Amino acid sequence: MDIEPLGPRPPAVVSTGHPRERWSSRAQRLISEILSLCDSWLREPLRLCLGDFDVRLHDKAEHTRSHLSQQRYLTTRQSLLQGRTMFDQHFISSLHLGFDELGISQKPAATTFPLSLSLLDSTDHELVVALDQLVARSEARGGQVLIELGYRLGVLVGAPPLEGAAMPLGPQAMTTAFRDASAALGLPGNHELLLVQSLEGSLMQRLGPLYELVNAHLLADGILPRLRAFSLPREAPRRARAATPKSTSDDPKPPLAQTTPKQPPAVGLRELLASQRADRVNLPATTEELQHALRALQKPHSPISYHASRELFSSRRLREELIIQLNAHHPSGAARIHLSPEQDDTVELIARLFEQIGRRLPEEGDAKALLSGLQLPLLHEAVSDQQFFERPDHPARQLLDRMTQAMHDWLDDNVGSEVAHDLRPGFEKVVERANHGAQRTSLYTALLADVEQCIAQWQSNAKMTERRHVEAMQDRDRLEQARHRVAKLLEDRLTQTPQSHRLRELLDHTWSDVLALTLLRQGEDSEAFATRLVITDQLLSRLPIGDPQRLGQKLQSSLQQIGMPDDEAAHIAQELIRTGVNPVGTDYLEQPQRSGDRVTRSHGASDAGTELGPQEQRTLQRLQELPSDSWFEFVDAVSGRVSQRKLAWYSPLSGRSLFVTRRGQRADEMSLHQLTGEITCGRVREIPATSDSLLDRAWQALTDGLRQSPLIHP
């Protein structure tokens, strides 16, 4: 079987002249205008795509434990920095080539990558599968607007309606352009998979506005002005529907049931509800009427609007308010309008879903108030778009997912109140726009982008703050290790050459800082450290002093390097020389306290004398194997309040660990032995790593609840 390579495709072979010369002058003009629109529109999504890819590479490099893998990620980041312009050029050129091939030959509408996967390595296999799935999801999102664009472009160049690979702006063309551009960068296979993820979030999920823009441009030039591809059957007016006699036994199903395609099951939610309800509707509301009622409830003067009340509403309350709005202008004496079974189920599902989410948010703070502001907009979206419950990647669901997780992690963190203070206004603006913007999927795509940008900015700030605290801890740990080594060197010398108490005190509390700083900055094998050890031996009379004035200058200069004022440094230098020249005096001690003893006892003193049992030993071993980004819950012994803290760093040498808040601020510092004791006592709990978001857990709880208990409607 022939295999299409994963590299850039070869240019099309054209007999004579430019390929567009075979079209009419009108077609050439419109195609040129469309290409100009696309070039301008694609600039920002491609910039976001590469920016997101760079962030993903940075995160991977930070979290990998392999030096080689980290180096590869950093190399790819460098290549990306140098090849951004080339990536954009290859992407745009590939799309231009697709337009040049319009009308030459129709490409097969099958999958974009007709490969024999058995001949590919595992990474190429994953890449092909990822691109195939990306094309499928993007074509499903394109919907009717993509179909209309295919008709208009086909008419423009005198070809059948364009679809699949023949569509120059379709998902397959975009992925082909991506392959051309990524091949120019020469990315490793696993890095290219990361770029595919960035492509989907930054470009493929946002193609709808581009298709609308090109359709509008062609429509303005008179290309198929009355086109309505695959028009859906319209419902009859209510009065006509009410006058229609009931179907006879010869026609058991109404015509609408015969023509409306059945929606595929998603997670079984609608099926579970449908199996538990009975016929309870006589005059159901149309979708347009229900949408109008929802818009009325979202207005500021509504009793359950976001402005009037910041609380989650039950399905009963939502149902009552909707029925009131549906019958607000209905003639008295006429049959009342109710929700259809499907509409009622949608209201029930949204209410229960938000209830499950609310249970997982803290009681304090504004998280639940903000969540309530999304209840009506998402109910409106679920009523308008039947794909809401079927598509986990629906922009409205993704918006709910990201906002609820951020509300849980950021808005109610008692230590991160500054973050909550600055992040909350941005979320309130999103809720405001969701309630008052035009209820379209593109609205939620734009809102999701705003939320992602807001969260990414704060996460970046938190990482920078955390990095500063970790670096400070690392410097402190290295300094303590240097002091410990200096104390050991002094102890060896003092043991061999007993000196006066005053000299020991000066060496231990003053000169040892000079040695430790030199060891930390220059290293133990450096010439500077060796010179200061010679000075130490001269003070201890292990080596001849020689010129006392010159030695005093060296001592004074060394003491000034640790920040000691000039006068004090001169005084201490003379004191060191005086006590060193006259080592034996009335303050001579036979068994002095060694400086090394003091440092040894202080270094890790919290763990001294602690004997761990079998369970504590297992816990300690588990902690030593944990990655440095693990999360723990700390329980306040007095208030019982639970706070989440991240293990940002620990030292294998000293055993000291640092915990930070989600904001990146220092929260707790303790040794691993102390942490083991806290875990054993139940005051600290490890949070298991999970890939499920808060919305995922709420969704699963909703599904499980529907399976276990029947649905009761009023």
Side-chain angles (χ1 to χ4, degrees), residues 671-699:
S671 69
L672 291 185
H673 282 75
Q674 289 175 314
L675 179 59
T676 299
E678 294 294 301
I679 292 176
T680 304
C681 297
R683 290 189 290 268
V684 176
R685 299 188 294 264
E686 180 186 353
I687 302 177
T690 176
S691 58
D692 293 336
S693 65
L694 186 145
L695 179 60
D696 293 332
R697 298 194 296 273
W699 199 279

Side-chain angles (χ1 to χ4, degrees), residues 188-250:
N190 57 333
H191 295 188
E192 196 167 8
L193 283 171
L194 289 178
L195 183 53
V196 170
Q197 299 172 15
S198 300
L199 177 75
E200 180 168 17
S202 304
L203 175 62
M204 302 300 286
Q205 293 181 359
R206 307 180 182 186
L207 288 176
L210 175 62
Y211 297 153
E212 293 176 356
L213 177 67
V214 178
N215 261 322
H217 189 77
L218 293 173
L219 181 62
D221 207 85
I223 305 298
L224 296 181
R226 299 181 180 275
L227 173 64
R228 292 294 182 273
F230 300 102
S231 299
L232 298 175
R234 299 182 179 178
E235 293 185 4
R238 172 167 288 104
R239 286 175 294 182
R241 188 170 63 233
T244 303
K246 295 182 179 180
S247 59
T248 62
S249 58
D250 294 335

Side-chain angles (χ1 to χ4, degrees), residues 28-95:
Q28 294 182 39
R29 174 180 58 82
L30 285 174
I31 292 296
S32 297
E33 293 171 354
I34 290 172
L35 288 174
S36 178
L37 288 174
C38 292
D39 293 354
S40 176
W41 188 92
L42 285 168
R43 187 177 298 112
E44 180 64 14
L46 291 178
R47 184 188 67 81
L48 293 175
C49 174
L50 295 183
D52 182 77
F53 180 45
D54 184 65
V55 171
R56 291 176 186 269
L57 291 171
H58 178 268
D59 290 343
K60 289 287 186 180
E62 276 198 337
H63 292 88
T64 184
R65 296 195 173 189
S66 169
H67 174 71
L68 292 177
S69 296
Q70 185 180 59
Q71 186 60 43
R72 292 190 188 100
Y73 286 121
L74 295 178
T75 301
T76 298
R77 290 189 68 192
Q78 185 66 28
S79 301
L80 178 63
L81 182 64
Q82 299 172 355
R84 281 176 173 264
T85 302
M86 182 174 58
F87 181 90
D88 293 350
Q89 291 174 349
H90 279 76
F91 196 100
I92 298 297
S93 297
S94 180
L95 291 183

